[in-house]
Amino acid sequence: MLRKRFNNAWSVQNKGSLFSAFSVEAPKSTAVTLPHDMMISLPRRADVPNGKHKGYFPNGSYEYTKTFFVDETYRNKTVILEFEGVYKNAAVYINGDYAGQRPYGYSNFYIPLSRFLRFGTDNTIKVTVDTGDDSRWYTGAGIYRNVNILTGEPVHFAVDSLKITTADIGDNYAVVEIQSLVENLGLNTATASVLTELIAEDGRVVNSERTPLTLCEQSTPLRRQFFIKNPVLWDVDSPNLYECRQTIFLDGSDSVVDTETCRFGIRRLQLDIEHGLRINGKTVKLRGACIHHDNGVIGAATFERAEERRVELLKAAGFNSIRCAHNPASKALLDACDRLGMLVMDEAFDMWSIGKTNDDYSRYFPEWWERDITAMVDKDYNHPSVILYSIGNEIPETGSGIGSQWGRKIAEKIKSLDSSRLTINSINGMVSVMDKLAAMWPKEDAKNTDVNNAMAGVGAMLKQIMNSELGSKATEESYSCVDVAGYNYMDSRYESDKKLYPNRIICGSETFPAGIAANWKLVEENDQIIGDFTWTGWDYLGEAGLGKINYSGKQTVGIYGAYPWLIAWCGDIDVTGNRKPISYYREIVWGLRKEPYIAVEKPERYGADGVPSTWSWSDTVNSWTWPGYEGKPIKVEVYSDAGEVVLLLNGKTIGKAAAGKQAGFKAVFDTVYAPGTLEAAAYLDGREISRTKLVSAGSPASLRLYCDRTALKIDAGDLAYIMISLIDPAGIINRACEKMIRLTVLGPGVLQGFGSANPESEEDYFSTERTTFNGEVLAVIRPTGEAGEIRVTAEAAGCPPQSVTVMAGSEAR
């Protein structure tokens, strides 16, 4: 069917009552272009119930409307509306009539429109959404993913019916199986043929076939196998893609009535206890990043470029896989993973029938889980990047025999829909036995229902609980339902469970950031352990302050930060896309970086009484600019895989220390701050192999604007990311000086988001003024749909204005 974006000319308002149109206080509407996150535009408040979960953004109920003209020629056509994601409790009305709903905020769903439409006149669509205390992280609110309108003749391909599987791979050939479903909604039998073409990336048709079909029923399946000589395979390092194009012709003619296209990759997936996970016959260890779905300064709005940029930066940091926590990924993210070579664990749910917050999906799960699982599999089926379906995250039911039956139902449903991929259940052993721990539980935590607070509260008891026989027995049945056992924070069980369960394949589905050196050693040494997924690869909104270091005098909410905290502060990469010190440390542990890395603890924290959470990293910055701290003590961390590290200040050696694997890849120095050049030299067997340095910055004299692209497509899915930095005359970023940046956007573009990585700022993400954090701030520009020059100008006190130009309307990327 012909698929077009349906994102323009919408409006949004607070949801009113049936009689609001007659009220003098009827809600005011605002024109918006989708995708749109209503929540990110709202003022945060300290008094939001359970505000820590969503970064103290308020919940609400909203109504989206769009009026569109339907021509008379559409009377005999099939018209369907596709929503890629609406958060949440979406109800859809066409011309005032109820047309459908979807409680789950992360599922792709369709609304048939034909029977509701009025032809030759305007039609109105209304979508209502409600958010409440329904999530443990920032969700956003509204139609935050794309909407598409599909139109076709009575004879057409059914939506999501084109499915492509690699049936066999040999030394110089591959066999792919292609299935689809042709619908005939007309009154008469139709004679048709379907042309299937397989097209390589260079445009060559590598195989094709025209198949006759007699359409005497409403739905007719088509299933064929195709042989491809000398195929180019898809993997992380070489993400080669093919295109499948199917075309329906009626009555033996060349009259085309429908066309469906899909990109796919050819690859083989294998799993066993001797080789672990193999892709195309080669063992792959998963260097994994857990990620939430928000896009930082633009909130939950899902733009193609935002998802693509995130995958680019994660891959550049050394990750080869992501876990979409704890909900199904967007189509845009999977497309990016296919193109760029990133493996995906797509996760279905954060809860089943037992809720984790007051108003979450658990109340809908028993009725809707099967439809939502089907939607996830339909979305993922043709994406070679997707290798694992996670059936749940830290589900309480996994600790009981009756509860584990839900897991068996979900896993079997997935296998019935797609047997070519692996299933996993991401289980936290403590959560699975939480209802049995009353005798072991500290009294002050007995009523603690937040899993993160609970894990922090039991402290030293955590490993005891994880390693107990109680935990082993409670989860045995749940693990027996899936191909891979997902261990959330249960790395202490890896060695023992190899012996207890010799046929079990284990994946560290969620692990503490600071544990990567020990965890990765276990992953490398054990074939049964296929990877490690850190919490988290990319920082996110909500779970405010989860990874902060708590200094005395700071107000907290359990382990979370009190208002104005809004960011979790536990990601390798911050919400603007900048790598934090932990990211470079992880890259060294993985063996992907030979150059040492210098991280300097903020001198105001030296000797401070700070208590880290289990998700914390040191309070360090890659900077040697600390005015006002001359002559005062300072701590320096150097990450390296070399045997020894030498630290030099202004050419003089100030210390030597062991590094490499035997020292946890980290050397720590106490010294005294003096401006100049700080160097770290890495030595192996007495020979210098690499060196890095930090140079103190002078006063910021100017702004530097770095834009990630010079041209944009005019569709609203494209974005330009502009990093604005405070630099000295030598071009060094001054991370100790913060300034208010004022932004102006001229031409066919708008400011989609403007913000920094400051985890506890009270500034918003949509104003044209924002204060830097560690010397930088990020602006995101969206084209408005017209061609032309977009000019972005930044100003700050004491710095001359600087501008950057982006051309909208070009296909250049």
Side-chain angles (χ1 to χ4, degrees), residues 113-389:
L113 295 187
S114 300
R115 64 193 179 100
F116 298 100
L117 294 177
R118 300 167 183 167
F119 302 98
T121 188
D122 284 341
N123 290 251
T124 299
I125 178 172
K126 180 176 74 173
V127 181
T128 62
V129 302
D130 298 287
T131 67
D133 182 17
D134 51 28
S135 175
R136 299 181 299 115
W137 61 89
Y138 179 88
T139 58
I143 310 178
Y144 69 102
R145 291 178 180 169
N146 289 319
V147 177
N148 306 295
I149 190 164
L150 286 65
T151 56
E153 300 298 329
V155 173
H156 58 265
F157 290 108
V159 294
D160 292 331
S161 70
L162 176 56
K163 291 183 167 61
I164 305 164
T165 307
T166 301
D168 189 21
I169 297 178
D171 291 338
N172 58 0
Y173 73 90
V175 178
V176 296
E177 182 175 281
I178 299 174
Q179 55 181 307
S180 54
L181 191 67
V182 179
E183 292 186 331
N184 179 13
L185 302 185
L187 299 178
N188 301 316
T189 296
T191 302
S193 62
V194 175
L195 173 65
T196 302
E197 298 169 288
L198 303 183
I199 305 163
E201 287 190 293
D202 61 6
R204 291 179 300 113
V205 177
V206 298
N207 204 339
S208 65
E209 180 182 88
R210 191 157 173 168
T211 307
L213 282 181
T214 300
L215 306 174
C216 56
E217 298 181 2
Q218 184 171 328
S219 298
T220 303
L222 175 65
R223 188 189 304 267
R224 300 292 297 151
Q225 287 195 339
F226 291 83
F227 184 89
I228 300 177
K229 292 183 179 180
N230 301 314
V232 287
L233 305 184
W234 187 99
D235 63 24
V236 169
D237 298 319
S238 302
N240 301 297
L241 294 172
Y242 288 83
E243 180 179 288
C244 175
R245 182 169 62 217
Q246 287 196 313
T247 307
I248 301 175
F249 301 90
L250 279 185
D251 299 324
S253 70
D254 289 330
S255 174
V256 175
V257 292
D258 199 13
T259 300
E260 190 74 25
T261 62
C262 177
R263 302 185 81 182
F264 69 98
I266 299 172
R267 55 125 177 90
R268 171 183 287 157
L269 197 61
Q270 295 168 284
L271 186 74
D272 63 73
I273 60 171
E274 290 193 4
H275 304 93
L277 174 69
R278 286 184 289 169
I279 296 177
N280 302 330
K282 181 180 178 181
T283 296
V284 175
K285 295 291 189 178
L286 301 176
R287 304 189 301 270
C290 296
I291 61 171
H292 273 315
H293 71 288
D294 76 80
N295 280 302
V297 304
I298 62 173
T302 302
F303 293 87
E304 283 86 345
R305 174 55 189 160
E307 302 288 60
E308 179 184 61
R309 176 178 181 262
R310 178 155 48 163
V311 176
E312 288 173 350
L313 295 176
L314 285 166
K315 188 162 186 178
F319 292 103
N320 67 3
S321 49
I322 58 175
R323 172 186 175 220
C324 301
H326 306 290
N327 49 262
S330 70
K331 288 186 172 184
L333 182 69
L334 298 184
D335 286 341
C337 290
D338 290 347
R339 291 193 307 270
L340 299 171
M342 181 71 77
L343 301 171
V344 177
M345 179 197 303
D346 206 6
E347 194 154 71
F349 307 115
D350 188 46
M351 73 293 293
W352 295 345
S353 61
I354 298 175
K356 295 181 180 179
T357 56
N358 294 326
D359 190 31
D360 64 23
Y361 175 73
S362 60
R363 63 177 62 185
Y364 306 104
F365 171 83
E367 179 183 353
W368 283 88
W369 72 268
E370 199 162 2
R371 280 171 281 188
D372 289 323
I373 285 292
T374 300
M376 182 179 76
V377 173
D378 282 345
K379 168 179 61 68
D380 292 3
Y381 197 99
N382 296 325
H383 290 281
S385 57
V386 179
I387 60 170
L388 285 159
Y389 293 117

Side-chain angles (χ1 to χ4, degrees), residues 12-31:
V12 64
Q13 63 187 33
N14 290 328
K15 187 163 70 173
S17 69
L18 176 64
F19 303 103
S20 61
F22 303 98
S23 170
V24 294
E25 298 180 356
K28 295 181 180 179
S29 64
T30 302

Side-chain angles (χ1 to χ4, degrees), residues 6 51 130 462 528:
F6 205 58
D130 298 287
L462 179 60
Q528 284 176 253

Side-chain angles (χ1 to χ4, degrees), residues 330-636:
S330 70
K331 288 186 172 184
L333 182 69
L334 298 184
D335 286 341
C337 290
D338 290 347
R339 291 193 307 270
L340 299 171
M342 181 71 77
L343 301 171
V344 177
M345 179 197 303
D346 206 6
E347 194 154 71
F349 307 115
D350 188 46
M351 73 293 293
W352 295 345
S353 61
I354 298 175
K356 295 181 180 179
T357 56
N358 294 326
D359 190 31
D360 64 23
Y361 175 73
S362 60
R363 63 177 62 185
Y364 306 104
F365 171 83
E367 179 183 353
W368 283 88
W369 72 268
E370 199 162 2
R371 280 171 281 188
D372 289 323
I373 285 292
T374 300
M376 182 179 76
V377 173
D378 282 345
K379 168 179 61 68
D380 292 3
Y381 197 99
N382 296 325
H383 290 281
S385 57
V386 179
I387 60 170
L388 285 159
Y389 293 117
S390 173
I391 66 174
N393 170 67
E394 298 182 346
I395 302 296
E397 292 96 317
T398 54
S400 75
I402 298 298
S404 67
Q405 295 311 300
W406 279 119
R408 192 175 301 279
K409 288 179 181 179
I410 297 170
E412 289 303 312
K413 178 65 178 181
I414 289 173
K415 289 294 186 179
S416 73
L417 298 169
D418 181 3
S419 61
S420 70
R421 289 179 173 85
L422 305 169
T423 56
I424 185 173
N425 196 345
S426 302
I427 292 176
N428 181 319
M430 192 190 74
V431 175
S432 299
V433 299
M434 196 176 288
D435 61 337
K436 304 177 180 70
L437 291 177
M440 305 170 61
W441 208 255
K443 290 183 179 179
E444 61 272 21
D445 291 313
K447 296 182 180 180
N448 197 343
T449 58
D450 181 279
V451 62
N452 295 331
N453 270 326
M455 289 173 66
V458 297
M461 194 186 292
L462 179 60
K463 284 191 176 181
Q464 178 186 342
I465 296 169
M466 296 290 197
N467 295 339
S468 68
E469 184 179 1
L470 174 65
S472 299
K473 296 297 183 182
T475 57
E476 277 183 351
E477 185 169 0
S478 285
Y479 278 135
S480 74
C481 302
V482 290
D483 302 308
V484 179
Y487 280 31
N488 281 23
Y489 307 107
M490 295 197 296
D491 46 280
S492 60
R493 294 197 62 103
Y494 288 172
E495 293 285 6
S496 62
D497 282 3
K498 275 178 54 185
K499 300 172 184 177
L500 281 172
Y501 308 102
N503 294 311
R504 181 178 289 182
I505 305 293
I506 296 170
C507 179
S509 43
E510 191 167 318
T511 60
F512 294 120
I516 183 58
N519 290 343
W520 196 247
K521 181 175 183 292
L522 292 169
V523 171
E524 287 186 311
E525 293 176 351
N526 293 280
D527 294 326
Q528 284 176 253
I529 306 172
I530 64 173
D532 177 276
F533 286 78
T534 186
W535 191 266
T536 57
W538 192 282
D539 219 342
Y540 58 99
L541 304 178
E543 287 195 315
L546 177 69
K548 66 178 174 54
I549 297 176
N550 188 36
Y551 296 98
S552 57
K554 289 280 190 177
Q555 183 182 359
T556 63
V557 183
I559 63 167
Y560 301 103
Y563 180 87
W565 273 87
L566 75 157
I567 292 172
W569 200 239
C570 60
D572 277 30
I573 300 174
D574 70 29
V575 294
T576 69
N578 283 330
R579 294 176 67 181
K580 293 158 70 175
I582 173 64
S583 172
Y584 294 93
Y585 176 79
R586 189 182 308 278
E587 189 180 18
I588 288 168
V589 170
W590 282 334
L592 302 177
R593 177 187 173 95
K594 293 301 179 185
E595 182 182 334
Y597 183 84
I598 303 172
V600 181
E601 183 183 64
K602 297 175 182 177
E604 67 266 28
R605 301 303 191 194
Y606 187 87
D609 183 19
V611 180
S613 84
T614 46
W615 291 272
S616 297
W617 190 250
S618 57
D619 198 358
T620 51
V621 182
N622 182 232
S623 174
W624 195 242
T625 305
W626 306 103
Y629 289 92
E630 292 79 2
K632 295 182 180 180
I634 195 167
K635 184 175 289 186
V636 178

